[in-house]
Amino acid sequence: MRLGRMPLRLGCAAIVVMILGAPDPAQAHAFAERYDLPLPLGFYLAGAGAAVALSFVGSFLLMRPGRAPLPVFDFALPPAIAALAGQAIRALGIALLAAVVLTGLFGPQSPTQNFATVFIWVIWWVGLTLASALVIDVFSPGNPFRTIANWLDGRRDGPERPLSSAWGWVPVAGLLAIGWFELVSDHSEDPRAMVMLVGTYSVLLLAGAFWAGAGTWFAKADPLTQLFALLGRCAPLAVRPGRLRLRLPASGLVGLEVSVPGAVFIICLIAMVLFDGLSETPAWAGMLDWVTRSTTLRPWLLDLRGAGVDILKLIRTAGLFGMALLCVLLYAGLIATMRAACGRQAPARRLFTGFAASLLPIAVAYHLAHYVSYLALASQLMLPILSDPMGWGWDLFGTANHRVDIGVIDAQSVWWIAAMALIAGHALSVFVAHAEALRIMPDQRAAIRSQLPMMVFMVGLTSLSLWILSQPIVA
Amino acid sequence: MPLWRVIAIAVSIGLVVSPGPALAGGQGRSHGQSSHGHAHGGLREAPAGLPAPGLTVEAIADPGDGYNLNLIVQNFAFSPEHAGQPTEAVEGHAHLYVNGAKIGRVYGPWVHLPDKLLAPGENEIRISLNDNTHRAWSAGGKPVEARLTLQGLREVTADANGETAPVIVVDQGDRVRLTIHGAGTGVLHFHGYDLEARAVDGEPAILKFHAHHNGRFPVMTHVHDKVLGEQEKALLFVEVRTR
C-alpha cells in the first residue's frame, strides 16, 4: 500500500520541486520583521464601532441623487517646468533602475546591506506604493521600463496591435507572482536573484511592448502600470498633462471603469495584503502546526521534503493563492447578494466591475497600519547603504555606521495611526461605494438597497483588518 | 544609536533635606540614614565668606553593567592627596550610599556603580561631600548632598522548553536580566535590540538589556524540523510595554 502510493507522491513532488526549489537554511524574513505591539482591545473596538457608525452615516448623507459634482482643483504648470519635471523624474527612474542592477550584481550580498533589496522591498514596494495612494503617483510618470519602451517604440514600425480582453489576466498573474516573491520566496532576500527577476520582467515587458506597441501593452498587460494607476486614483494629487490636480482623497476611484480581470486584480491585491498580515498571527501558526503534525498529511509531507520541496514555502504558496481565490469568491458572493438586494436591476458583470475599487481605501489603510513602523525602521537601512553602496568602505554622507534606531516610532503612535487610518479608509470606501451605487443603479431606492450587503461586507473587512492588527505577531 | 542613554538626572543641587520634626515619611527615613552616614564626625559648615559648595549627580546607564555616576561639584575640590589631614580649604571627597549603606569614598567626578550593588526595583542613592577627615560639608546648616533613585536590574526567567514560545512582559525603561532555560546549544538572537547570547545545553542563557523601546521582539534560534527543515524559530517573545 505504502509502496504503491510512492510513485504518485514522488511525481507530485517532482512537479512541486521545480516551482519551489531546494530548501535553503531559512535566514528568511528577519529582513521583513516587524516589532509592533498588538493593537489594544480599546482601539480595536473603537475602530470597529466607528466603522459601523460611519456606514450608517454614509448611507444617510451620501444617498442624495443629483449631488454637486466632486470638487477638483487644477493648477496649470508652465510648460517648461512640466517638461523639465517630467525629464527629471524619468532620469531619476532610469538612474534608480541602473543602481538596482549594479548594486544587486556587484554590491554586498546581504539583503539588509544591499541597495537593490532594500530599495525594491522597503522603499519602492512599501514606501512608494503608500506614497502613491496617499499623496501622488510618481511611479507612473517616472517608470523606467516605460521610458525604455517608449524609446524602443520609436524604432518600431507598424501600428499598435489590438489586444483582446483576455490579456487582462496577464497583470493578475503578474501581481500574484510579485506577491509570491515577496511573501513566500527567499529569492526576495537575494540581491542577484532580484536582478534576475527585474531582468526577466524587463525582457518580457519590452518584448511585449515591441510586439504590440508600448501604449497598448503597458495599458493592458503590465501589472505595475495597472497597480500604480489604481493606487494613484486614491491619492489627493494627480498629474494631468500640463496640470497638477487636487481632489478629495479616493474621489479618483469614483467612475473608474475596469474590466472583469481588472476587478479580480483589485481583489487579489487586497487578498495579498490580508495574507501578509494573517500569516503572522497565532491562528496561522496554529494551522501550520496542525498541518505539519497531522498524521494523515505527515507521510506525504516527509516524502515531498525528501524529494527536495520546502514544505513551509509549499504551505505559504497554497495560503497565498488560496486567500486570493477565497477573496474573489467572497466578492462574487457579495455581488450576487447585492444584485438580489436591489431586485436585479443591474447586470451582474456591471456590479462586479463597478464596486471592486471601492474596497481599495480599506486595503490601503490596512497596508499603512501594517507597515508604518516597519517603514520607519527598515528605511533606515538605506542610510549606511547610501554612504557605501558597493561595500567598498566608503562613507559618502557620514552615515556608513548608522544602526537602525528602533526608537524612532513608538507603540502608541503606531496604534493611533493604525486606528485612524482604518477609520478614514473605511469612510472613504463607504463614500466611493455609495457614489458608484448612485451612478450604476437606475434609481435611489435600488442604490440604497444595493448598499446594505456592501456595508456589512465593508464592516467585516475593516474589522478583520483591525483584528489582524490586534493579534501578536508570531512569525 | 548610542547605547548610552542618560536615564536619570539627579535632583538636588546642594542641600535638600534638613533635620526637623515636620518632615514627611520618605525624607524622615533619609534623615535617619544621614545620621548613620555622618558617623565619622558630624557636619562641618562651609566658611560663610566664600561661595557655598554644591553637588549635582547625573546617572548614565552603562551599556554593560550598572550606571556611571557623574559628580558635578561647585566650589569644591577633590583632594585625595590630603586624605586624613585637616585643611582649611573647602575640599575632600564624596561618600556614596546605596539604600542607606555606605559603599565607599569617591575621589573624582566619575564613579561606576555596578548592578551587584543595586537591589531589584528602586534604589535610593545618596552622595555627600565630605572634608578630608570625613566630616560632611554643610552650607546654611544643611548637608551638601545629592539624592537620586536608580532602578536595579529586573530579573526575569523564561523557560523555552514548552510547546509554545512564552511571552515575557517588561515595562519600557526597565533594565532587564533575562535568564532563558532550555534553549539547547547555539546562538540566540534577540531581534530588534540586536543582541546575541550563547546557549549551552544544560546551562541557562543570559540576555541583559535596557528596554528603551516598546514593541514585541522575538528571541530566535535555529532549529531543525523533520518536515519543515532548517528553521529560524522564536524561542520566546519579549514584549516591552508602555508605562
Side-chain angles (χ1 to χ4, degrees):
Chain A
M1 176 91 180
R2 262 190 75 84
L3 280 174
R5 258 174 31 199
M6 283 295 278
L8 172 63
R9 284 192 213 157
L10 290 176
C12 296
I15 295 166
V16 177
V17 76
M18 287 192 296
I19 307 165
L20 293 174
D24 290 329
Q27 266 292 336
H29 304 300
F31 178 44
E33 205 166 56
R34 298 186 303 124
Y35 305 124
D36 293 343
L37 278 173
L39 193 71
L41 187 66
F43 280 85
Y44 172 32
L45 294 178
V52 175
L54 282 168
S55 308
F56 275 102
V57 171
S59 296
F60 281 113
L61 287 183
L62 300 171
M63 274 304 171
R64 283 172 294 146
R67 279 177 306 123
L70 295 164
V72 165
F73 306 97
D74 278 336
F75 302 98
L77 295 173
I81 297 206
L84 195 69
Q87 278 176 359
I89 200 163
R90 282 192 293 276
L92 183 66
I94 293 284
L96 286 168
L97 178 62
V100 161
V101 172
L102 277 178
T103 55
L105 289 177
F106 307 115
Q109 290 297 302
S110 152
T112 53
Q113 290 164 13
N114 189 285
F115 178 84
T117 40
V118 174
F119 179 79
I120 289 175
W121 295 119
V122 182
I123 307 297
W124 179 75
W125 186 241
V126 175
L128 204 65
T129 50
L130 279 174
S132 299
L134 301 176
V135 188
I136 186 170
D137 168 23
V138 287
F139 179 79
S140 299
N143 185 347
F145 304 107
R146 186 67 203 254
T147 309
I148 299 170
N150 282 349
W151 180 78
L152 282 177
D153 221 34
R155 273 141 194 80
R156 179 178 174 273
D157 294 324
E160 301 252 322
R161 201 180 293 265
L163 293 178
S164 75
S165 60
W167 283 93
W169 293 105
V170 174
V172 176
L175 180 75
L176 288 172
I178 297 172
W180 186 83
F181 273 102
E182 182 209 1
L183 300 171
V184 179
S185 151
D186 312 323
H187 299 313
S188 62
E189 304 203 349
D190 178 352
R192 291 208 176 102
M194 288 318 296
V195 174
M196 293 284 290
L197 186 64
V198 171
T200 311
Y201 167 75
S202 311
V203 167
L204 290 174
L205 188 71
L206 295 177
F210 200 74
W211 173 68
T216 313
W217 186 257
F218 273 78
K220 271 260 164 78
D222 177 29
L224 296 183
T225 300
Q226 194 157 333
L227 173 69
F228 281 91
L230 270 175
L231 295 173
R233 289 216 166 222
C234 301
L237 286 170
V239 179
R240 292 280 174 277
R243 287 167 301 147
L244 189 65
R245 172 167 288 184
L246 179 66
R247 61 193 174 194
L248 290 174
S251 65
L253 293 170
V254 177
L256 173 65
E257 299 282 350
V258 296
S259 59
V260 171
V264 172
F265 183 93
I266 296 171
I267 302 301
C268 285
L269 183 64
I270 297 171
M272 272 165 54
V273 170
L274 289 178
F275 175 74
D276 191 1
L278 274 173
S279 65
E280 294 174 339
T281 60
W284 172 265
M287 193 282 297
L288 205 60
D289 214 41
W290 178 80
V291 168
T292 55
R293 288 178 194 204
S294 130
T295 44
T296 335
L297 291 172
R298 201 173 162 86
W300 279 77
L301 295 176
L302 284 172
D303 282 353
L304 282 172
R305 184 169 157 67
V309 177
D310 186 327
I311 301 299
L312 189 64
K313 279 188 214 153
L314 180 68
I315 296 173
R316 286 182 68 89
T317 304
L320 174 64
F321 296 143
M323 186 74 188
L325 186 64
L326 179 70
C327 285
V328 171
L329 291 176
L330 280 174
Y331 178 70
L334 164 73
I335 294 305
T337 318
M338 190 190 270
R339 185 150 183 265
C342 70
R344 300 181 176 274
Q345 294 202 38
R349 186 192 179 88
R350 180 104 172 87
L351 297 180
F352 190 88
T353 55
F355 285 98
S358 66
L359 297 170
L360 263 182
I362 297 177
V364 169
Y366 171 73
H367 196 58
L368 172 69
H370 177 105
Y371 273 126
V372 62
S373 68
Y374 172 76
L375 196 58
L377 303 192
S379 59
Q380 294 178 46
L381 293 170
M382 261 301 167
L383 293 174
I385 291 172
L386 288 177
S387 269
D388 186 15
M390 299 307 286
W392 289 342
W394 292 356
D395 195 355
L396 297 176
F397 306 104
T399 54
N401 296 314
H402 177 87
R403 289 181 62 195
V404 172
D405 178 2
I406 55 174
V408 289
I409 189 162
D410 67 353
Q412 287 94 332
S413 317
V414 174
W415 294 337
W416 280 105
I417 293 170
M420 289 298 147
L422 271 163
I423 293 170
H426 185 89
L428 291 174
S429 278
V430 168
F431 155 71
V432 174
H434 280 87
E436 280 303 306
L438 285 175
R439 226 171 53 85
I440 293 174
M441 296 297 169
D443 57 62
Q444 191 193 359
R445 201 178 141 75
I448 290 175
R449 284 165 59 175
S450 77
Q451 286 311 286
L452 215 72
M454 192 61 174
M455 291 305 103
V456 173
F457 191 83
M458 281 184 175
V459 168
L461 184 57
T462 300
S463 303
L464 174 66
S465 304
L466 285 162
W467 179 81
I468 295 173
L469 294 168
S470 73
Q471 295 298 296
I473 298 164
V474 294
Chain B
M1 177 194 63
L3 265 169
W4 285 42
R5 200 156 267 251
V6 178
I7 68 129
I9 293 175
V11 240
S12 59
I13 298 183
L15 353 147
V16 186
V17 185
S18 64
L23 289 173
Q27 288 172 312
R29 205 182 64 224
S30 311
H31 167 54
Q33 293 160 6
S34 307
S35 34
H36 169 75
H38 301 153
H40 281 295
L43 294 177
R44 175 175 170 190
E45 182 67 15
L50 297 173
L55 172 66
T56 311
V57 176
E58 286 183 358
I60 297 164
D62 185 83
D65 180 19
Y67 294 86
N68 294 306
L69 304 182
N70 185 12
L71 281 58
I72 301 153
V73 296
Q74 293 98 34
N75 311 315
F76 175 86
F78 289 104
S79 58
E81 67 280 10
H82 296 147
Q85 306 164 23
T87 57
E88 286 305 308
V90 183
E91 61 173 25
H93 56 266
H95 284 182
L96 170 62
Y97 303 86
V98 175
N99 298 322
K102 184 174 167 188
I103 301 301
R105 297 181 210 167
V106 183
Y107 278 123
W110 284 98
V111 62
H112 178 230
L113 183 58
D115 279 317
K116 66 181 178 194
L117 296 177
L118 299 173
E122 296 197 338
N123 291 264
E124 296 291 332
I125 311 298
R126 186 166 69 85
I127 295 123
S128 63
L129 292 186
N130 298 65
D131 76 359
N132 295 318
T133 59
H134 302 292
R135 283 190 296 167
W137 284 107
S138 69
K142 296 169 187 170
V144 182
E145 61 181 23
R147 288 161 186 271
L148 58 158
T149 305
L150 293 180
Q151 294 289 329
L153 280 181
R154 179 162 176 171
E155 293 281 352
V156 189
T157 311
D159 185 3
N161 239 343
E163 187 84 337
T164 52
V167 179
I168 306 301
V169 178
V170 298
D171 292 314
Q172 195 173 4
D174 282 351
R175 294 164 59 252
V176 183
R177 192 179 123 102
L178 173 60
T179 308
I180 305 164
H181 295 283
T185 298
V187 178
L188 311 186
H189 300 267
F190 183 23
H191 287 200
Y193 279 81
D194 211 7
L195 297 172
E196 274 189 13
R198 194 159 284 281
V200 180
D201 212 10
E203 280 176 43
I206 310 283
L207 273 172
K208 262 175 83 168
F209 62 98
H210 185 186
H212 318 291
H213 305 304
N214 53 27
R216 183 181 155 95
F217 305 95
V219 175
M220 307 284 258
T221 189
H222 287 269
V223 293
H224 186 86
D225 183 278
K226 269 215 168 103
V227 172
L228 299 177
E230 282 295 321
Q231 293 292 312
E232 218 186 1
K233 179 192 163 206
L235 277 182
L236 58 113
F237 293 92
V238 177
E239 275 194 18
V240 181
R241 298 244 174 111
T242 56
R243 278 195 188 271

